[in-house]
Amino acid sequence: MPLLVDGRRVRLPLSAAELVRAHPPLEERARLLRGQSVQQVGPQGLLYVQQRELAVTSPKDGSVSILGSDDATTCHIVVLRHTGNGATCLTHCDGTNTKAEVPLIMSSIKSFSDHAQCGRLEVHLVGGFSDDRQLSQKLTHQLLSEFDKQDDDIHLVTLCVTELNDREENENHFPVIYGIAVNIKTAEIYRASFQDRGPEEQLRAARALAGGPMISIYDAKTEQLRIGPYSWTPFPHVDFWLQQDDKQILENLSTSPLAEPPHFVDHIRSTLMFLKKFPSPANILFPGNKALLYKKNEDGLWEKISSPGS
């Protein structure tokens, strides 16, 4: 079944700019989103989604009311929502395996049993910019193509990607929007940044840097965040990378060195340190090879709970 905009089939392949020209309401929605000021989102009720993670929940969730992600440069943040039951998935895609990730996003929404009720699937794509290597452009194309191949009608509501999310300064290009949040109850999507990216921020970042695939991190039925158990092989040349200066790390470990947020290098360094400290995480970080489980407490903050069967 096709990808639709305002009830009309999208003709692919089109660039993001060509798509919005063919569908002016898309252009207007992108303009309104870009024009928003960035909201600082606090940790209460928030489920933060890192790169190569997805989380899905619905308005019935008593713990999580906001899904969000940021630090997207060439990456895209994808929100898929069913308007009938309000089931909402947010994921942070980096283009490693879009062909496998889109069906994962689709099945995560369909896992809500009342999926068949009235309503439609709506997708929102945000992120990327006009980068030198055209990685954003490639990811936009991949995501649109894969959603167009799914069995269900999917309505493209927001397209604020690549050249539509680009600003130029001193002949260098940058994304306008680096992060968004979605309110599960109201379906509002807005520009956002986050101080708290936990729990287990370093462990989750290490899994992605070590090449882990897209995974679902949240169980909406138990309202638990589930981390691991993960495994990875020792990071190649980790000592070499830790000896490099900021410029080398930026140029070699970023897809878009000039456009990264200011904390990028510190984040990569601390993640590399973590990978050096735990070259093989299995039993050290996951005692008994069990997942780490977190649940929101009465204050709306994540709290560790004991592993199942322990």
Side-chain angles (χ1 to χ4, degrees):
M1 300 293 275
L3 191 62
L4 303 164
V5 179
D6 303 312
R8 286 159 51 206
R9 170 135 205 198
V10 171
R11 284 185 15 260
L12 293 172
L14 289 176
S15 69
E18 288 165 336
L19 246 178
V20 296
R21 276 201 293 277
H23 302 274
L26 276 181
E27 190 159 26
E28 177 61 9
R29 287 194 282 268
R31 190 185 65 77
L32 289 171
L33 190 61
R34 286 194 307 268
Q36 289 182 4
S37 53
V38 178
Q39 295 187 40
Q40 283 281 345
V41 177
Q44 279 86 1
L46 167 69
L47 171 46
Y48 183 85
V49 176
Q50 291 204 28
Q51 195 167 329
R52 285 194 218 159
E53 291 182 343
L54 73 80
V56 61
T57 189
S58 80
K60 293 177 181 170
D61 196 317
S63 303
V64 168
S65 51
I66 296 166
L67 298 176
S69 191
D70 63 358
D71 288 357
T73 50
T74 55
C75 292
H76 290 11
I77 301 167
V78 178
V79 175
L80 182 69
R81 183 174 179 276
H82 190 276
T83 60
N85 58 22
T88 305
C89 173
L90 183 142
T91 182
H92 187 131
C93 298
D94 62 7
T96 36
N97 193 354
T98 310
K99 197 181 277 289
E101 289 165 5
V102 168
L104 201 59
I105 295 166
M106 294 293 291
S107 62
S108 75
I109 288 290
K110 291 179 177 182
S111 67
F112 283 78
S113 54
D114 47 359
H115 167 73
Q117 70 186 57
C118 295
R120 65 183 203 174
L121 288 167
E122 294 185 344
V123 70
H124 308 263
L125 307 179
V126 180
F129 67 110
S130 298
D131 64 284
D132 292 345
R133 293 159 65 188
Q134 297 200 322
L135 295 170
S136 304
Q137 204 172 0
K138 188 176 162 197
L139 181 53
T140 297
H141 172 70
Q142 287 174 350
L143 284 165
L144 290 170
S145 301
E146 290 308 319
F147 276 113
D148 195 46
K149 288 176 191 166
Q150 300 308 304
D151 292 338
D152 304 76
D153 279 353
I154 301 165
H155 297 262
L156 178 62
V157 176
T158 307
L159 187 69
C160 190
V161 292
T162 310
E163 59 268 51
L164 306 171
N165 189 43
D166 183 76
R167 67 178 181 87
E168 204 176 330
E169 196 178 298
N170 302 327
E171 296 183 12
N172 293 319
H173 290 263
F174 301 89
V176 177
I177 301 172
Y178 282 88
I180 57 167
V182 56
N183 183 315
I184 307 299
K185 315 282 191 225
T186 65
E188 183 200 358
I189 291 174
Y190 52 94
R191 290 182 66 176
S193 68
F194 310 87
Q195 293 307 118
D196 185 39
R197 296 179 173 87
E200 305 288 353
E201 180 185 355
Q202 283 195 314
L203 170 54
R204 291 157 66 190
R207 184 199 73 87
L209 193 60
M214 174 77 72
I215 51 162
S216 176
I217 56 167
Y218 185 67
D219 183 344
K221 290 181 184 69
T222 58
E223 299 185 3
Q224 290 176 0
L225 181 65
R226 186 184 189 90
I227 295 164
Y230 304 146
S231 62
W232 54 67
T233 51
F235 193 82
H237 317 299
V238 68
D239 289 320
F240 168 81
W241 288 116
L242 284 167
Q243 286 161 10
Q244 302 310 301
D245 60 20
D246 290 6
K247 186 168 179 283
Q248 288 297 324
I249 285 181
L250 255 181
E251 285 178 3
N252 291 285
L253 297 179
S254 164
T255 55
S256 49
L258 291 171
E260 292 293 355
H263 54 264
F264 175 83
V265 172
D266 288 344
H267 171 71
I268 292 288
R269 273 192 204 284
S270 66
T271 308
L272 287 168
M273 293 284 287
F274 191 91
L275 285 165
K276 178 182 163 82
K277 190 176 176 185
F278 302 106
S280 175
N283 283 316
I284 308 166
L285 298 173
F286 302 100
N289 211 30
K290 291 194 171 87
L292 308 179
L293 299 177
Y294 282 82
K295 205 169 169 68
K296 289 284 189 184
N297 63 18
E298 287 175 4
D299 298 323
L301 306 174
W302 291 113
E303 209 166 76
K304 198 169 185 177
I305 56 176
S306 58
S307 297
S310 62

